[in-house]
Amino acid sequence: MKPVTIKVNGKSVRAREGEMLAAALLRAGIRVFRRSPQGQPRSLFCGMGTCFECLVKADGRWVRSCITPVKEGMEVEVEEG
Ligand code: FES
């Protein structure tokens, strides 16, 4: 897979074109993808697109990161912490 760079909360992150976004985030050490309305951390759970726990904003749209392929220059927002 071709190496690419994406932005996560404005920081450059190395990834591989076509890999799933959740994999790239986890490899970059990002464990919390978003927060529930009650403030609880959410991340990868089912890994197959059914639970919606892995939602992140990518290029301005909410996507399931476990089934969204990485593209060069993708801009991702996560709610870390
Ligand atoms: S981890 Fe369940 S939809 Fe992505």
Side-chain angles (χ1 to χ4, degrees):
M1 289 182 174
K2 180 178 149 193
V4 295
T5 301
I6 63 174
K7 294 269 188 189
V8 180
N9 292 354
K11 293 185 202 160
S12 294
V13 168
R14 301 292 306 250
R16 297 185 187 104
E17 190 170 69
E19 75 174 323
M20 294 304 120
L21 180 54
L25 294 174
L26 290 172
R27 201 173 50 255
I30 298 166
R31 301 286 182 259
V32 176
F33 294 0
R34 67 178 179 90
R35 295 271 170 187
S36 72
Q38 294 76 31
Q40 297 168 322
R42 293 291 184 254
S43 187
L44 189 69
F45 185 66
C46 74
M48 58 185 188
T50 60
C51 74
F52 288 72
E53 292 294 330
C54 65
L55 288 176
V56 298
K57 257 192 183 168
D59 294 333
R61 294 182 14 224
W62 287 103
V63 298
R64 288 169 286 175
S65 59
C66 69
I67 58 167
T68 301
V70 165
K71 289 186 255 177
E72 173 69 48
M74 184 179 253
E75 304 234 356
V76 181
E77 295 172 45
V78 300
E79 297 172 322
E80 291 178 276

